[in-house]
Amino acid sequence: MLVQQRKRMAFWLILPTLLLIVAFKIAPIIEGVVVSFQAQSMMRPNPDAFVGWTHYKRAIFDEGVFGAALWRTIVWTFGSVAGAYIVGLSIALLLNRQFPGRTIFRALFLIPWVIPEVATALLWKWAYGDEFGVINFLLMRLGVLDTPILFLSSPGAAMASVIVVQIWKLYPIMFITLLAALQSVPRELHESAEIDGATVWQRFVYVTFPYIRPTSVIITLLAAIWTFQNFDIIYLLTGGGPADATKILPTLVYEKGFWGLELGYASAISLLMLLCLTVLSVAYLFVYRAQREET
């Protein structure tokens, strides 16, 4: 009887949360699925006509916009996460050492994480400026460049430029997470390896990295999920241009839905994007569960 009462009480306690999840998470997805099979458009006379898989075929085969945007999204995600991991790990290794003022440096390196994305985009847009940007100014004053680099308006440089901004925004979470993992490495192991004549690189590969590998895998997968669906940085810096060079899936959905006014087509693309995110999320949960079982 007591067990039944506890189960009933637990059900009523989680019911409000379940209702909120259904209202704000599941219901919009269901509506998106329905709309993706309709010709909903603000420019057409019959917005609710059922069109079947037309939008999906158009995105994948007819126009090929989904495949091109997916490839750019993979480049954007991989470049950002890999760069942020390398920068974050380097800073974590540096600040894991004992030296005066270490706490102050740890706080300073977290600043990019707390700056809002809109402010981040405006800051880097100014830094990347062709004529008055601080980067071009310094490089030309140092004699590295004769003419300014068109960081955001050149198709060849735009993707690399926005990836640098995302690395700058993402590395603090990598750094603080990896620093916590580094502090769990027993100091005695390092001292023993050093006495045995191991080099710095060998101590990192055979002593340090095995301890931080589970944390590294989880934080990189989590960062990949965040970056894959990130919209603000690229849209505020380039709007998906120039010449579609930075048009990733979130900006493509925004363009088709709010500029093209093709709600059904945009819903189909967003659901294809949701499938990709589901694969990443399942991989994250699988790895997280495996790591928990190991520990």
Side-chain angles (χ1 to χ4, degrees), residues 2 8 54 95 97 103 119 144 155 182 192 233 240 247 272 292:
L2 183 59
R8 196 176 299 114
T54 301
L95 296 185
R97 298 172 177 273
T103 305
V144 178
L182 284 171
S192 300
I233 295 293
K247 186 183 289 183
L272 291 171
R292 282 180 64 96

Side-chain angles (χ1 to χ4, degrees), residues 5-286:
Q5 288 178 343
R6 287 181 176 177
K7 288 183 178 178
R8 196 176 299 114
M9 176 63 73
F11 172 76
W12 287 110
L13 287 174
I14 65 173
L15 183 59
T17 304
L18 286 175
L19 291 176
L20 288 174
I21 292 174
V22 171
F24 294 104
K25 295 289 185 182
I26 298 177
I29 293 175
I30 294 174
E31 184 181 4
V33 173
V34 173
V35 172
S36 71
F37 290 103
Q38 295 177 339
Q40 283 207 23
S41 171
M42 297 179 187
M43 304 298 290
R44 293 175 184 166
N46 188 13
D48 296 329
F50 180 76
V51 295
W53 297 95
T54 301
H55 293 319
Y56 294 92
K57 292 178 181 175
R58 179 186 165 192
I60 298 174
F61 300 110
D62 297 343
E63 294 183 354
V65 294
F66 179 79
L70 177 62
W71 171 248
R72 287 190 288 268
T73 307
I74 292 172
V75 172
W76 150 256
T77 303
F78 180 80
S80 301
V81 174
Y85 180 80
I86 293 171
V87 174
L89 178 59
S90 302
I91 297 173
L93 288 170
L94 180 66
L95 296 185
N96 193 39
R97 298 172 177 273
Q98 295 288 343
F99 61 88
R102 186 176 61 164
T103 305
I104 296 174
F105 281 103
R106 286 179 179 177
L108 290 175
F109 279 114
L110 288 175
I111 288 177
W113 180 252
V114 300
I115 295 178
E117 293 195 339
V118 173
T120 298
L122 292 175
L123 176 68
W124 278 91
K125 200 164 190 174
W126 167 75
Y128 279 144
D130 302 341
E131 297 183 6
F132 305 104
V134 64
I135 297 176
N136 274 319
F137 173 79
L138 292 175
L139 292 176
M140 293 180 71
R141 287 295 296 268
L142 293 172
V144 178
L145 296 177
D146 295 326
T147 55
I149 297 176
L150 306 178
F151 287 105
L152 299 177
S153 53
S154 165
M159 180 57 83
S161 301
V162 294
I163 285 175
V164 169
V165 179
Q166 182 65 1
I167 290 173
W168 187 80
K169 183 69 181 168
L170 198 59
Y171 87 79
I173 189 65
M174 294 278 192
F175 143 64
I176 200 68
T177 307
L178 293 171
L179 180 62
L182 284 171
Q183 294 184 348
S184 68
V185 181
R187 191 173 298 277
E188 298 79 15
L189 292 179
H190 273 284
E191 294 172 352
S192 300
E194 192 171 358
I195 291 172
D196 291 339
T199 63
V200 174
W201 176 250
Q202 288 172 330
R203 293 203 297 273
F204 172 76
V205 172
Y206 298 111
V207 178
T208 304
F209 191 71
Y211 275 89
I212 67 171
R213 186 179 57 192
T215 305
S216 299
V217 173
I218 289 176
I219 193 62
T220 50
L221 273 174
L222 202 57
I225 293 171
W226 292 338
T227 305
F228 192 91
Q229 59 184 329
N230 186 282
F231 169 80
D232 301 343
I233 295 293
I234 281 189
Y235 186 76
L236 291 169
L237 284 172
T238 66
D244 295 343
T246 59
K247 186 183 289 183
I248 59 174
L249 287 174
T251 55
L252 176 65
V253 172
Y254 182 83
E255 177 191 288
K256 297 300 180 184
F258 292 93
W259 289 100
L261 306 179
E262 297 179 283
L263 301 181
Y265 188 34
S267 296
I269 296 173
S270 63
L271 284 170
L272 291 171
M273 178 180 161
L274 178 63
L275 285 176
C276 298
L277 277 171
T278 302
V279 172
L280 274 175
S281 301
V282 169
Y284 169 76
L285 292 174
F286 179 78

